[in-house]
């Protein structure tokens, strides 16, 4: 009976230490979650950044879908047109929307890359406050000391 009591007490103490330890985020998980707009920021509990990423990505996705629809509309008009002057005008309009669609895809890619990098960095720095308490700066005479306590 005494052994069970000691074992229970030991488990409670170990559990208390585990709960008291700051949670360190996994950078790999942050990268994987970042494949979905705002997922890495939500994982890192950066909800304002997540909202911004979701909003920006949603805008670029909607714009790309719209521009793709316009490309298809102009393609249909090109196929139905016989007048060479209008045909050239339609081709220019289609090219314009195709370039806009390509721009949207590039901007989605840049946004994805930056949000993934942000999530990775935030995950690596998630334990920074706890680690910061272990670092002490000391000045003596004209000497500067940095101490790190493990």
């Amino acid at each position: 009976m005494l052994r069970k009591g000691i074992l229970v007490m030991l488990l409670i103490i170990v559990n208390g230490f585990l709960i008291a330890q700051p949670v360190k985020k996994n950078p790999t998980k942050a990268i994987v979650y970042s494949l979905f707009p705002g997922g890495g920021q939500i994982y890192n509990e950066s909800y304002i950044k997540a909202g911004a990423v979701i909003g920006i990505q949603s805008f670029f996705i909607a714009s790309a879908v719209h521009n793709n629809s316009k490309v298809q509309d102009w393609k249909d008009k090109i196929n139905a047109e016989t007048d060479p002057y209008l045909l050239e005008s339609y081709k220019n309009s289609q090219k314009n929307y195709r370039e806009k669609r390509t721009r949207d895809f590039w901007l989605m890619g840049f946004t994805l890359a930056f949000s993934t990098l942000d999530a990775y960095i935030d995950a690596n720095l998630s334990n920074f406050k706890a680690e910061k308490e272990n670092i002490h700066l000391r000045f003596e005479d004209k000497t500067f000391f940095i101490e790190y306590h493990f």
Side-chain angles (χ1 to χ4, degrees):
M1 198 59 146
L2 182 60
R3 287 184 187 176
K4 286 183 182 179
I6 292 173
L7 183 61
V8 169
M9 187 71 99
L10 186 60
L11 286 173
I12 290 172
I13 291 171
V14 169
N15 200 16
F17 280 118
L18 292 175
I19 291 172
Q21 292 295 321
V23 176
K24 182 160 173 47
K25 301 290 182 177
N26 184 341
T28 305
K29 283 185 180 179
I31 288 173
V32 171
Y33 291 146
S34 288
L35 297 177
F36 302 100
Q41 286 70 26
I42 291 171
Y43 173 72
N44 288 323
E45 300 173 13
S46 298
Y47 301 113
I48 294 174
K49 286 183 193 178
V53 169
I54 291 169
I56 291 168
Q57 284 284 53
S58 298
F59 172 78
F60 290 139
I61 290 169
S63 181
V65 168
H66 169 74
N67 290 326
N68 187 56
S69 172
K70 290 294 187 180
V71 167
Q72 296 304 319
D73 290 346
W74 287 111
K75 181 180 178 183
D76 294 341
K77 287 183 179 183
I78 289 169
N79 291 335
E81 189 58 52
T82 57
D83 182 16
Y85 177 75
L86 287 176
L87 192 62
E88 192 62 34
S89 174
Y90 291 170
K91 285 182 180 179
N92 287 336
S93 295
Q94 182 189 32
K95 179 183 174 191
N96 184 29
Y97 281 107
R98 191 180 304 123
E99 288 173 356
K100 287 180 180 182
R101 179 186 64 191
T102 302
R103 180 205 60 207
D104 292 335
F105 284 131
W106 276 104
L107 291 173
M108 279 189 282
F110 287 134
T111 305
L112 176 67
F114 286 126
S115 69
T116 301
L117 182 63
D118 174 67
Y120 177 78
I121 291 170
D122 276 355
N124 276 311
L125 295 177
S126 65
N127 201 21
F128 181 73
K129 286 184 181 180
E131 291 294 323
K132 187 176 158 185
E133 294 173 4
N134 295 330
I135 299 173
H136 300 283
L137 303 176
R138 211 170 28 122
F139 297 95
E140 289 181 12
D141 297 328
K142 294 181 179 182
T143 309
F144 172 68
F145 295 97
I146 297 176
E147 296 176 349
Y148 183 77
H149 298 278
F150 296 93

